[in-house]
Amino acid sequence: KALLQLNGVSKQYGKDTKALSDVTFSVNEGEFVSIIGPSGAGKSTLLRCINRMIDATEGEILFDQTNLNSLGKRDLRKARTKMGMIFQHYNLVNRLSVIENVLHGRLGYKSVLAGMFGVYKEDEKKEALKILQALGLGDQIYKRCDQLSGGQKQRVGIARALIQDPRLLLCDEPIASLDPNASKIIMDHLKTISTSMGITVLVNLHQVDVALAYSDRIIGVSKGKVVYDGPPKNITNEQ
Ligand code: ADP
Ligand code: ADP
């Protein structure tokens, strides 16, 4: 069953840059899909269009059979919480602690409230702790985020997305700033999230070997177009 469907999606920045042109694919519930392609190919734009951080210029995007453009503000916000986003540069609030960053994710876009700690309910704190423990951060929860290693920061990023109980995780170059050790830890967590929690994962990568090792399916993007869509093994043969 398709959780995500893109039909003829294009994105134009200003007059000259066509970052995406006529992108069509669908992703089934539970799939682990890597999007690969060189820098500037449009991978990041693609994820940001899906999550509505930016608007596609043309085409439609259906999430769980619903066109998000048809929703009102409130329903749109709710739908977006079901699409967790993970970033290359983590996008954490550095001066806050690990658990505060995760609870901040729980509040989603009401970030003004996020400074007012104490607004969190006890069961939310318990949930945050449970997620952080599963990610191996149970003993770091009161540390400020700027004291963490890159790999730890990215696990906080994952926890912040997971606390919203997402159905889809959109990961934009999650390991591009990490060493091989930390990269493996992050990719293993994403794989576990996919296989044991049933969350659909869409991950932008520029490391083909990593994509081959972890994905059910690979979508190759070049100059804003889908140039490959299929199982990882065929791509090995082509190269
Ligand atoms: P990738 O993630 O594959 O590196 P991007 O989606 O970041 O690719 O970029 C695709 C193209 O769109 C590039 O030519 C990039 O310069 C351009 N681009 C990305 N973001 C913006 C923006 N906010 N304004 C204008 N051009 C942009
Ligand atoms: P900004 O103030 O830059 O507009 P937002 O309100 O979009 O930021 O996001 C607030 C915080 O939530 C930021 O720290 C950002 O990194 C994070 N964030 C944004 N989108 C998501 C998402 N889909 N899932 C989890 N966290 C997100």
Side-chain angles (χ1 to χ4, degrees):
K1 189 179 143 218
L3 179 65
L4 181 69
Q5 169 90 45
L6 280 75
N7 295 323
V9 171
S10 298
K11 173 67 186 179
Q12 180 108 15
Y13 289 111
K15 271 194 202 137
D16 305 319
T17 312
K18 191 144 196 188
L20 295 175
S21 52
D22 198 18
V23 172
T24 296
F25 63 82
S26 71
V27 176
N28 286 333
E29 188 107 57
E31 263 190 304
F32 192 113
V33 181
S34 292
I35 299 172
I36 62 172
S39 177
K43 305 182 296 297
S44 175
T45 298
L46 183 60
L47 293 196
R48 291 188 298 146
C49 284
I50 292 170
N51 153 288
R52 290 302 195 280
M53 283 170 100
I54 57 175
D55 289 320
T57 325
E58 289 170 68
E60 57 173 17
I61 300 172
L62 307 180
F63 177 68
D64 197 20
Q65 343 289 327
T66 306
N67 187 337
L68 299 192
N69 287 338
S70 71
L71 299 179
K73 231 178 170 177
R74 221 186 122 170
D75 289 332
L76 174 64
R77 201 184 308 131
K78 206 166 137 195
R80 288 182 74 202
T81 66
K82 298 293 154 193
M83 300 184 230
M85 186 100 182
I86 290 158
F87 306 90
Q88 175 179 355
H89 299 291
Y90 327 117
N91 293 15
L92 304 176
V93 183
N94 277 322
R95 68 186 163 77
L96 298 182
S97 68
V98 166
I99 193 156
E100 283 167 340
N101 266 275
V102 176
L103 292 167
H104 177 77
R106 179 77 181 73
L107 287 174
Y109 294 88
K110 288 181 265 171
S111 29
V112 180
L113 281 177
M116 303 162 51
F117 301 108
V119 300
Y120 302 117
K121 301 192 192 93
E122 214 43 52
D123 57 334
E124 290 179 339
K125 287 186 200 160
K126 268 193 199 141
E127 179 66 15
L129 180 61
K130 215 171 80 186
I131 293 169
L132 286 165
Q133 280 168 340
L135 290 163
L137 292 172
D139 51 1
Q140 316 274 343
I141 64 168
Y142 297 118
K143 241 190 195 170
R144 272 173 62 129
C145 280
D146 51 12
Q147 295 178 318
L148 302 177
S149 69
Q152 290 172 327
K153 284 182 185 169
Q154 195 55 291
R155 282 182 274 154
V156 178
I158 294 172
R160 179 181 58 191
L162 289 182
I163 200 166
Q164 307 222 45
D165 194 19
R167 294 179 66 189
L168 175 66
L169 267 194
L170 301 167
C171 312
D172 194 3
E173 298 281 0
I175 58 169
S177 306
L178 302 178
D179 64 40
N181 250 338
S183 295
K184 185 178 184 308
I185 291 170
I186 295 302
M187 291 306 298
D188 286 346
H189 278 301
L190 293 179
K191 192 71 184 175
T192 305
I193 287 163
S194 157
T195 53
S196 58
M197 301 174 77
I199 295 174
T200 307
V201 175
L202 201 51
V203 54
N204 284 350
L205 292 168
H206 61 258
Q207 307 88 330
V208 179
D209 56 329
V210 177
L212 290 173
Y214 285 89
S215 316
D216 300 325
R217 174 177 158 204
I218 289 183
I219 295 176
V221 179
S222 174
K223 295 179 183 158
K225 293 197 168 85
V226 174
V227 293
Y228 178 88
D229 185 351
K233 58 174 194 272
N234 293 354
I235 224 170
T236 335
N237 297 339
E238 274 171 23
Q239 284 177 344

